[in-house]
Amino acid sequence: MTMDTKNGNGRTAGRGIGLAAVRGLALALLSLPGAVLCFCLSLVSIALIPIGVGLVTTPYVLTGVRAFANGRRVLAAEWGGVRIPPAYRPLPKDANPWARTFAMLRDPATWRDLRWLPVDMTAGFVTALLPAVLFLYPLEGFALAIGLWRVFPDGYWYGFVPVSGQASAFGAAALGLVLLFLAHFFTPRLLDVHFRLTRAVLGSNQGELAERVRILTETRRDAVDASAAELRRIERDLHDGAQARLVAVGMDLGTIEALLDKDPAQAKELIAQARTSSVEALSELRELVRGIHPPVLAERGLGDAVRALALRLPVPTEVSVDLPQRAQAPVESAAYFAVSEVLTNAVKHSGADRIWVDLHQADGMLRASVTDNGKGGAVIGAGSGLAGVERRLGTFDGVLAVSSPAGGPTMVTVEIPCA
Amino acid sequence: MRVVLAEDLFLLRDGLVRLLQAHGFEIAAAVESGPELAAALAELDPDVAVVDVRLPPTHTDEGLQCALDARGKRPGLPVLVLSQHVEQLYARELLADGSGGIGYLLKDRVFDAEQFVDAVRRVAAGGTAMDPQVIQQLLARRSGDDRPLARLTPREREVLELMAQGRTNAAIAGKLVVTERAIAKHTANIFAKLGLEVSDDDNRRVLAVLAYLDHGR
């Protein structure tokens, strides 16, 4: 946003004004037809989507709009030093026209582009043209003073000066001088205004970004806390459980070795005890593994893992699954534990005698809803299991929604992006 | 009796081979991956297959799928599935064709060599060997207050559990240290309370019990 005119040097300043004026003129000539054309084509193309033609044309038109906007971003950076980072979402590769069209239409950056076009063809045009006018109009005043006034014998208005002879032509030149003086101050600034205006409309919203960063920081802290707590729990369980039992088995075996000849009866008793300990250690390890990564989830994926979970519940539970493909392992795991927690809650608190689980994937979202016919009144409050679920889902940009009027039924829906 | 064994962990495979050989089984093949198992089951035509659920190359439920495929091609092929964990979901898939000759046990059961070998023999003979954990899950789920299971006496529940594992009356009597006649009386009571048809066939008896427990009423 600093222009080389700002460094007091007169010659550079003069060149700067001229440059700014030429650039302003170029921008004005570029922006008006370009913006009008892009805007009209976009409107027509989007309007034609319902009859199908728009589906084919829209990606091309919007790509053109992006190219136009990107051109202006480059000019803003090179001519005005104003950086406007593009924030387009990546388009799906090898997608059909339908998917491409809707991916583009869902992108907020597309709508920012479309909003920018009318601004650019009006305010943008004016702010680009003014520097040029402010520079070129005084030149006309000088030209009139030199002799151009003779071409207009019937009188001619230069600004508010009526030019009818050499004297008034000099008046025009004086006005031109004043205007040039003003241009010296305003030309680069007006161009700057143009680029700032472009950035204000075309650039992605800083507030939005700041909010996003805040949420990411928060969820990352939650994730780190949760995984640290989880590791501590696993360590403690191993240490107090399986590890201790295996040590006991080892000790028993040592004692058995010593007793084998002296007291076979007691040795036999100890062998039985050692075997019990090893069986218990195994079952503890099994529980631990189920808590870290449920075996059916690893073997079959989310659908069957939830089915297996439902079979273990004391309340009859129907599971319907519509998952075209397996999601990424962390997403599957997050969804599984969220559903598991919600189901546990339902069994413990709802008093329901039937539960329905529905898993499906649509629009890049993995959606799981758990409905029960219990007494309702569930809330995401402090200390409730649901608040914990919500926090852990946050790491995956997932959301939790609860609908639970008093008297029931309760429906808890979990949604995680999985594309 | 010829056994095909599939287990990817060398130590366990080796141990199982020795255990089975010590009890008079002939090991037709001991393999470590899904494709090898499929080939062995197709070519060797064993009397019984002992299969780990999780096998290479996918390390998912390859073993279970191989076993189900093989039973599709040769109905009633006796298969004993071993797993680090037991799930009703898998138990139901194994029992789905209703033709018996199915076992589904935790790997831990190998510790009790006699019980394990007994289970292999039972499966090979066309019977059923369900892991007590599967049965307990089923019983836990069906123990609501006004369900018929609640009308069983503790002793009858014990008998039902052993029956659902696939044991004969004689075996149950041995296990509970009572006479076979007492067990017969218990089973008759259980069948009456649960509304199941009395059957002499051990395998059909187990399937009836499992079907009842699984679907309830």
Side-chain angles (χ1 to χ4, degrees), chain A residues 286 290 295 299-300 311-312, chain B residues 61 84 87 90 93 108:
Chain A
R286 199 159 25 237
R290 201 193 287 287
E299 288 162 4
R300 293 277 186 91
L311 285 174
R312 283 201 303 274
Chain B
D61 59 348
Q84 213 68 259
E87 291 285 350
Y90 295 174
E93 284 172 16
D108 310 10

Side-chain angles (χ1 to χ4, degrees), chain B residues 158-182:
Chain B
E158 229 172 322
V159 173
L160 173 66
E161 246 183 270
L162 291 166
M163 196 159 62
Q165 287 172 23
R167 290 169 198 276
T168 59
N169 280 2
I172 299 173
K175 175 109 182 160
L176 297 180
V177 206
V178 291
T179 61
E180 208 178 321
R181 181 188 288 275

Side-chain angles (χ1 to χ4, degrees), chain B residues 19-62:
Chain B
L19 178 67
L20 289 171
Q21 277 173 341
H23 284 83
F25 289 90
E26 181 196 335
I27 305 295
V31 300
E32 56 177 321
S33 78
E36 286 176 280
L37 170 64
L41 287 177
E43 285 163 24
L44 300 175
D45 196 28
D47 296 315
V48 60
V50 177
V51 173
D52 183 10
V53 168
R54 228 184 256 206
L55 285 180
T58 59
H59 283 288
T60 57
D61 59 348
E62 185 112 15

